[in-house]
Amino acid sequence: MSESSPLEAQLHRLNPEQRQAAETLDGPLMVIAGPGTGKTQLLSVRAANILAKRDVTPQNILCLTYTEAGAEAMRRRLVELIGRPGYDIEVSTFHSFSQRLRGTYPEYFDVSARVRPASDLERARLLNSILRALNPKSPLYSGKFENVSGNLGDVTSAIDNLKRMGITPSELRAIARQNADAVAYLQQPGQVVERYFQAKVPGAKDAKQDFVHDFEAAVDRLSQLAPKELTKNIVGAPGIYQPYLLWFADCVREAELLDANGNTGPFAKLRDALCMKQRVGAATVRVLKAGAQAQRALALADVYERYLARLGELELIDYQDMINLAVTALREHPEFAAELQERYRYLQVDEFQDTNGSQMRLIQLICPPAGDAAGARPDSAARGASWPPAGETGPGSVGPNVMVVGDDDQAIMRFQGASVEGIRQFSEVYRPVSVVLTTNYRSTPALVELGQEVVAQVENRLISGEGKRIVAHRTEDEQDAFPIRRYMDASSQYDAVARSIRARIDEGFLESAAKPGEAIAVIAAKHRNLKDLIPYLKAHGVPFSYKVRTQVSQMESMQALLALLRCVSALAQGDVARAEAELPEIVASPELGLAREESVAFAIEARTSRTGWLAALGKAKNPKLR
């Protein structure tokens, strides 16, 4: 390759950390890359370098990312760098890639070619019909509304989360049974729950300390002597599942059970978090909450299984099914997995902090860890033991050629079921070469420094301290520093923001701006924060424009209207009790125009009158309520 080639020129432009990653071509590689550190350019240059220095074709490289925008940006860089072959490198999102596998290899997928994505309404109707048909004794049964199960939203969310984790109904059932067995183990007569959670804590200070120490020792001893069935990892989804007994032991081990004065308040707090009171004959005892949760999980596994079966009968899939169908096909057909492993000799994954359990399983099946052709690993490794064994792979060795690029600090968003444990699990399972990019090319020094102060508060960082200290490449900075202010509560913060904007307007800031309508912006993590700010903007006379994209049915005003329609419908059917059940939401809705204090006062009045909400409305002094 000539020194003047586009690739060589790009390699020379990389900083030392970027170049180390771009030239680490074989074996597992993990790049920790914060915002603005040039990861998209790095991924493109490394792919071009693989083509130049390894005996592979563009079709042997697979690049996966989380969004279509990310995939398009990577492909554009590849084409700019290597020309026409850039189109032959497969660059795709996880969902698009999984869908393409189903179209290309239909013989491995146990679904009809006629399947189509289910709409939200179709999914809701299916799940609702299953929930409404449950036995009233089921933990998931709810007859709150006439035609809609009261648990519909919670069950829908739970199934969506399970799919993101890549957990099947049979795996959920196995987890629930394991948890139930662990609860029974801890609740044996004379063991932890009876001896410590049901017993009265001693009053003397020394006795309290002995009590707590004995408790810790008993939990540790029980976890060490527990049958293997209670501690084995049933599912290897990262950051999602840990056998209950091990989780229980970790909770006790990591908790401070005595306060600074030697009192057992923290112990009581932990006990109350883990236990609930239950009537047994004439006595009231404490039992572990996990027992009831395990029964709900078993019921959920049945509903989940019926839901998948009904989707199959109707030839429907939902969004998350695209990945799970691919995972199932690869697990059940080793020859299919072998074919993809042979084809995709190099795998690159962008935005790895957004990778959830099902996506991690897909990665491990396409590019299995060394010594594991099936993409599985021993139970001991799932609990944190080193895998593969030392010496089989690691820095500089030839192993699975998989590179992941992500930022553990951004994993705190837990987007679509992702967590920092995904990055941590990759590090434990693949034992990769690690490269940390520390130069930010996008932002000014003041903004980078502000980001470092904020991110220093993140817990459970994979890399912290000076090992991940981001520095700005740019030297120019219009602002010396960003002021950091702290407030006692949210109300004080919102008021201060509104006052600050009002002051800028009064100083003529908008008149001097090129685009007054875009001169001042407020950015928040959630729409709820922005909505909470609005009353303070109004109070200080600040004009504002607030736009949000949302489903019409989820708008607060639409929720109030739907509640009103349900109330009228119930009254038309003579069902006063069901009509009154809708009134609290109607009375509290902003559309009615009541101050919050007025709606709360009426709710208290209606409750104390014992005549019912409808009767209380008729007698209310407020004309809006009447």
Side-chain angles (χ1 to χ4, degrees):
M1 180 180 294
S2 68
E3 287 295 320
S4 59
S5 72
L7 172 59
E8 200 63 33
Q10 289 293 331
L11 285 169
H12 279 301
R13 291 194 185 101
L14 300 180
N15 64 41
E17 293 81 17
Q18 289 174 322
R19 181 144 190 173
Q20 178 190 355
E23 294 186 335
T24 303
L25 304 183
D26 302 314
L29 171 65
M30 180 172 66
V31 178
I32 302 298
T37 52
K39 59 189 178 71
T40 303
Q41 178 71 1
L42 164 63
L43 286 161
S44 304
V45 172
R46 184 174 182 272
N49 205 23
I50 290 170
L51 288 176
K53 298 178 180 177
R54 294 294 180 268
D55 185 20
V56 295
T57 67
Q59 291 83 357
N60 295 136
I61 300 174
L62 172 63
C63 299
L64 294 175
T65 187
Y66 204 86
T67 64
E68 293 290 354
E72 181 58 33
M74 194 185 305
R75 182 174 299 284
R76 185 170 59 251
R77 292 282 182 91
L78 282 168
V79 173
E80 290 173 355
L81 190 58
I82 61 177
R84 177 67 182 81
Y87 289 108
D88 296 325
I89 293 177
E90 187 153 2
V91 182
S92 180
T93 66
F94 280 94
H95 289 89
S96 296
F97 174 71
S98 300
Q99 188 78 334
R100 191 152 50 248
L101 287 181
R102 189 170 66 84
T104 307
Y105 303 92
E107 64 272 22
Y108 296 119
F109 288 79
D110 188 22
V111 293
S112 167
R114 297 188 298 272
V115 296
R116 62 175 178 82
S119 68
D120 290 343
L121 182 58
E122 287 173 320
R123 295 177 66 230
R125 282 175 172 169
L126 265 180
L127 266 177
N128 186 58
S129 66
I130 294 170
L131 293 172
R132 295 293 295 167
L134 289 176
N135 187 309
K137 294 183 179 180
S138 168
L140 295 182
Y141 180 81
S142 174
K144 185 177 179 182
F145 303 113
E146 182 180 2
N147 296 314
V148 179
S149 170
N151 282 336
L152 179 59
D154 291 339
V155 172
T156 300
S157 177
I159 290 177
D160 285 346
N161 286 333
L162 288 167
K163 288 190 173 190
R164 293 187 190 111
M165 299 172 200
I167 295 177
T168 66
S170 60
E171 289 170 333
L172 175 61
R173 193 173 289 114
I175 291 171
R177 287 171 178 159
Q178 184 190 61
N179 288 357
D181 291 342
V183 168
Y185 178 71
L186 292 168
Q187 292 183 167
Q188 294 176 85
Q191 294 298 346
V192 168
V193 174
E194 184 179 84
R195 288 174 57 194
Y196 299 98
F197 287 165
Q198 294 183 24
K200 185 177 180 180
V201 179
K205 188 172 183 179
D206 290 344
K208 288 180 180 178
Q209 292 179 345
D210 291 341
F211 179 85
V212 166
H213 292 156
D214 289 346
F215 168 67
E216 292 174 326
V219 171
D220 186 61
R221 182 171 59 254
L222 269 184
S223 62
Q224 292 291 333
L225 298 176
K228 184 179 179 182
E229 291 71 23
L230 299 183
T231 58
K232 70 178 182 180
N233 197 325
I234 295 172
V235 179
I240 300 302
Y241 163 73
Q242 182 183 19
Y244 177 75
L245 186 61
L246 298 180
W247 176 85
F248 182 93
D250 285 348
C251 282
V252 174
R253 189 179 302 113
E254 295 168 5
E256 292 290 341
L257 301 179
L258 295 171
D259 63 19
N261 298 317
N263 294 319
T264 54
F267 168 80
K269 186 176 181 181
L270 175 67
R271 177 196 63 198
D272 294 342
L274 295 172
C275 294
M276 64 181 183
K277 291 184 178 180
Q278 188 176 83
R279 193 79 174 172
V280 179
T284 299
V285 299
R286 287 189 177 91
V287 296
L288 292 171
K289 293 177 182 178
Q293 292 165 351
Q295 296 308 310
R296 287 179 62 84
L298 284 171
L300 179 61
D302 292 339
V303 170
Y304 185 11
E305 196 166 59
R306 292 177 209 168
Y307 172 63
L308 293 180
R310 288 290 293 136
L311 282 175
E313 291 168 6
L314 297 172
E315 297 183 335
L316 297 172
I317 59 173
D318 64 23
Y319 185 66
Q320 191 59 37
D321 284 332
M322 297 178 188
I323 295 177
N324 290 332
L325 286 172
V327 169
T328 300
L330 288 165
R331 290 177 63 182
E332 294 182 352
H333 300 282
E335 69 278 15
F336 179 31
E339 183 173 347
L340 292 190
Q341 292 164 16
E342 178 64 25
R343 175 178 177 178
Y344 298 117
R345 306 279 294 281
Y346 288 86
L347 172 62
Q348 297 190 153
V349 184
D350 192 14
E351 302 294 355
F352 189 68
Q353 75 276 352
D354 291 332
T355 302
N356 58 33
S358 62
Q359 293 161 345
M360 183 66 178
R361 284 186 167 191
L362 186 63
I363 291 170
Q364 287 184 260
L365 286 162
I366 295 173
C367 197
D372 181 14
R377 58 204 167 103
D379 292 335
S380 60
R383 294 198 302 271
S386 174
W387 179 258
E392 290 191 18
T393 187
S397 70
V398 177
N401 299 319
V402 54
M403 170 198 190
V404 299
V405 181
D407 184 8
D408 54 319
D409 292 333
Q410 295 181 52
I412 60 172
M413 302 306 291
R414 295 190 66 86
F415 186 62
Q416 293 288 328
S419 81
V420 70
E421 293 304 322
I423 298 177
R424 201 180 305 279
Q425 187 196 42
F426 181 87
S427 181
E428 292 174 353
V429 172
Y430 284 92
R431 302 185 66 203
V433 171
S434 294
V435 177
V436 182
L437 305 187
T438 57
T439 303
N440 179 293
Y441 293 91
R442 181 189 303 159
S443 307
T444 60
L447 186 56
V448 171
E449 186 60 30
L450 174 63
Q452 292 299 289
E453 290 192 34
V454 172
V455 84
Q457 304 172 62
V458 176
E459 297 179 355
N460 297 320
R461 301 175 76 190
L462 192 67
I463 300 174
S464 58
E466 293 303 315
K468 197 184 176 185
R469 186 73 186 177
I470 307 295
V471 296
H473 178 72
R474 293 169 58 177
T475 56
E476 76 279 4
D477 200 344
E478 297 176 358
Q479 191 166 359
D480 293 332
F482 286 87
I484 299 176
R485 297 185 175 88
R486 295 174 175 83
Y487 302 96
M488 293 295 294
D489 51 38
S491 178
S492 301
Q493 176 188 341
Y494 294 140
D495 186 69
V497 171
R499 286 178 182 275
S500 173
I501 297 174
R502 180 72 261 175
R504 288 175 180 270
I505 293 173
D506 293 342
E507 292 168 1
F509 181 76
L510 296 184
E511 286 79 359
S512 62
K515 296 182 179 180
E518 301 176 7
I520 299 175
V522 179
I523 302 173
K526 298 179 180 179
H527 285 295
R528 182 183 68 246
N529 303 126
L530 296 174
K531 287 189 285 188
D532 289 344
L533 173 65
I534 287 175
Y536 296 88
L537 296 176
K538 289 181 177 179
H540 290 285
V542 176
F544 63 90
S545 173
Y546 174 60
K547 297 179 181 179
V548 56
R549 294 180 180 178
T550 186
Q551 294 183 9
V552 174
S553 63
Q554 295 177 349
M555 294 171 59
E556 288 186 13
S557 57
M558 184 58 70
Q559 292 299 316
L561 176 59
L562 290 172
L564 186 60
L565 290 173
R566 288 194 295 266
C567 180
V568 172
S569 174
L571 288 173
Q573 298 174 43
D575 192 341
V576 175
R578 189 158 58 88
E580 289 199 336
E582 303 292 344
L583 288 174
E585 184 169 0
I586 297 169
V587 170
S589 66
E591 287 71 28
L592 190 61
L594 290 180
R596 184 172 300 179
E597 295 79 4
E598 292 177 302
S599 60
V600 172
F602 171 74
I604 296 173
E605 179 185 337
R607 183 177 180 84
T608 55
S609 69
R610 300 184 182 279
T611 59
W613 279 65
L614 281 173
L617 281 172
K619 298 177 182 178
K621 297 177 182 179
N622 190 306
K624 291 181 180 178
L625 287 170
R626 287 202 306 277

